[in-house]
Amino acid sequence: MNPEFMAEAIRLASQGMGDDLGGPFGALVVRDGEILGRACNGVIRLRDPTAHAEIQAIRMACQNLNHFHLEGCALYCSCEPCPMCLGAAYWAHLDGIYYAASREDAASIGFADAAIYDELCLEPSRRHIPMIQLMREEVLDVFRRWKEKSDRILY
């Protein structure tokens, strides 16, 4: 845990917001005292709802390490990660997450993280965005072939 890294994530959040790139969010991926990825929220600039600071910092770190796992790395972010970013942190196998503002703080300025967290607890059929399962049997053959694939790379 290093307050200087958190201060940099907060600086990125402020800079990105001031430049109208996206919301007030910044993030770093750090390993052994080295910043491997850094970003501010770029949703507005990139016109991409997935361009959250955490996602972009994870992508940059993976590119810099030439690998899709980030074991040994920590994520520093100016706010508690939304469900998408939290999922990305788990998929990346990060060792830890440090955050400044809470999801409640984000909700108080108009960000809907809490609503998404609530939706995840519901059965798919009860969610705000309708989720309808189709053609399960047809895709299970593809899944079976993946399971049998001797050279598959697990992630």
Side-chain angles (χ1 to χ4, degrees):
M1 177 173 53
N2 185 327
E4 291 177 21
F5 292 134
M6 185 59 73
E8 176 63 7
I10 294 168
R11 186 194 70 73
L12 286 166
S14 180
Q15 178 183 352
M17 180 194 64
D19 292 342
D20 293 326
L21 303 178
F25 307 104
L28 309 173
V29 174
V30 177
R31 183 177 72 182
D32 298 328
E34 179 185 1
I35 298 172
L36 300 173
R38 73 174 76 220
C40 62
N41 182 289
V43 168
I44 294 169
R45 176 180 50 101
L46 298 173
R47 294 173 182 81
D48 178 355
T50 69
H52 290 200
E54 298 90 338
I55 299 288
Q56 294 191 105
I58 288 169
R59 287 176 178 158
M60 182 183 289
C62 287
Q63 290 297 311
N64 284 333
L65 291 175
N66 197 31
H67 204 278
F68 49 83
H69 281 168
L70 296 174
E71 286 101 347
C73 296
L75 178 66
Y76 285 81
C77 35
S78 61
C79 188
E80 182 178 356
C82 74
M84 176 182 67
C85 294
L86 184 59
Y90 275 95
W91 280 113
H93 295 249
L94 288 163
D95 284 4
I97 300 171
Y98 301 99
Y99 63 95
S102 69
R103 70 174 91 163
E104 292 82 12
D105 296 324
S108 75
I109 59 169
F111 288 90
D113 299 21
I116 298 169
Y117 274 105
D118 291 344
E119 285 277 309
L120 292 174
C121 296
L122 298 174
E123 291 294 320
S125 63
R126 296 185 59 222
R127 293 181 182 155
H128 179 74
I129 297 175
M131 294 184 64
I132 301 161
Q133 187 174 21
L134 297 173
M135 300 181 70
R136 179 177 179 266
E137 293 302 319
E138 289 80 354
V139 79
L140 289 180
D141 179 59
V142 178
F143 280 28
R144 179 191 53 76
R145 291 196 330 256
W146 170 259
K147 185 177 179 181
E148 294 170 355
K149 187 174 166 49
S150 62
D151 62 343
R152 73 181 185 268
I153 298 172
L154 295 176
Y155 56 92

